[in-house]
Amino acid sequence: MTTIADNLQAVKARIGRAAHAARRDARAVTLLAVSKTHPASRIAEARAAGQHAFGENYVQEALEKMSALPESEWHLIGPLQSNKTRLAAERFQWVQTVDRAKIAKRLSEQRPADLPALNVLIQVNASGEKTKSGVQPAEVLALASIIASLPRLKLRGLMAIPEPGAPRERYAEVRQVFDELKKRVDVDTLSMGMSDDLEIAVAEGATMVRIGTAIFGARRKEKSAA
């Protein structure tokens, strides 16, 4: 029976092979362990195996784990409701799902002055589906300009969730938007790729992959959004 430490090593090996095939340095790809729905005890196992950064979908669920694992780096990777921006601004190091100027402004206003600027990513709707969160590619630069002007935020790049089974062209389109953004703003992060598609994402320039199932196993039943 494999352990979380074994799974982490297997995922890192996959990243290494994908980077090698794409003639990239594997060290340029950050592994974000998606710990949503999993208990703090399993996250502690990953921490003991050297994993530092974790992604959570729900603010309230994440707060419980932060108390148990205070030295970890926490990324919010789920939709952010307006009534949760203060907690997100106060407790997370990264928010990857900014898709509205209103949310960005609230995060900046509510980020404590004694903390470093909050790292944020603009979520791009890679598939164009009306039911999916994220801005359309053509709207990225306008939102980026607003975020860049906010004093307590640091725009780091883009986040995307291509639909399951998406063709490689979809990933390439997101990479193109990222490349255009880099011409205007100093950004360094393209968060794209999960357990089933990390190889394609790395081949298309992802600098961060969000891996849950391949590390922690099947998700437990999700809690209601919070």
Side-chain angles (χ1 to χ4, degrees):
M1 185 174 180
T2 60
T3 66
I4 287 176
D6 294 331
N7 293 342
L8 278 167
Q9 288 305 311
V11 169
K12 290 175 182 178
R14 286 176 63 188
I15 293 171
R17 290 192 296 269
H20 179 75
R23 297 183 180 179
R24 297 182 60 199
D25 186 343
R27 293 173 296 182
V29 182
T30 297
L31 172 58
L32 180 69
V34 176
S35 49
K36 63 179 183 178
T37 78
H38 294 287
S41 59
R42 290 181 64 75
I43 303 171
E45 289 183 51
R47 274 289 286 161
Q51 180 62 28
H52 174 63
F54 298 92
E56 290 282 332
N57 266 38
Y58 304 127
V59 172
Q60 206 63 44
E61 180 185 342
L63 295 180
E64 301 170 7
K65 300 173 185 179
M66 289 175 180
S67 297
L69 296 151
E71 301 304 316
S72 300
E73 177 180 284
W74 297 94
H75 295 234
L76 183 65
I77 60 172
L80 179 58
Q81 301 169 355
S82 296
N83 65 342
K84 297 293 184 182
T85 54
R86 182 174 297 279
L87 286 172
E90 291 175 347
R91 300 299 300 276
F92 285 84
Q93 286 79 45
W94 289 68
V95 174
Q96 295 203 13
T97 51
V98 175
D99 61 0
R100 288 170 286 162
K102 174 184 176 182
I103 293 295
K105 291 174 181 177
R106 288 175 68 93
L107 288 171
S108 180
E109 291 167 358
Q110 295 168 346
R111 182 68 169 175
D114 61 335
L115 293 179
L118 179 65
N119 298 297
V120 299
L121 301 179
I122 294 173
Q123 183 174 354
V124 180
N125 188 333
S127 61
E129 297 174 79
K130 293 181 179 180
T131 57
K132 291 287 183 69
S133 299
V135 301
Q136 297 303 309
E139 301 170 332
V140 166
L141 293 180
L143 182 54
S145 179
I146 292 170
I147 293 173
S149 71
L150 296 173
R152 303 297 299 138
L153 302 185
K154 180 173 178 57
L155 178 61
R156 297 293 297 270
L158 303 180
M159 181 266 223
I161 310 173
E163 69 274 24
R168 181 163 172 170
E169 289 77 10
R170 189 82 73 240
Y171 299 80
E173 290 166 2
V174 176
R175 168 66 181 274
Q176 290 169 5
V177 176
F178 181 60
D179 288 343
E180 284 299 313
L181 179 61
K182 287 175 69 174
K183 295 177 183 177
R184 313 289 185 88
V185 188
D186 183 18
V187 293
D188 58 9
T189 303
L190 176 56
S191 176
M192 181 170 68
M194 297 184 286
S195 293
D196 291 336
D197 64 348
L198 77 83
E199 285 82 4
I200 299 174
V202 170
E204 288 298 337
T207 67
M208 180 181 292
V209 292
R210 309 180 304 275
I211 309 298
T213 302
I215 296 172
F216 295 105
R219 296 179 194 167
R220 301 188 174 205
K221 185 176 180 181
E222 295 213 18
K223 299 181 180 181
S224 58

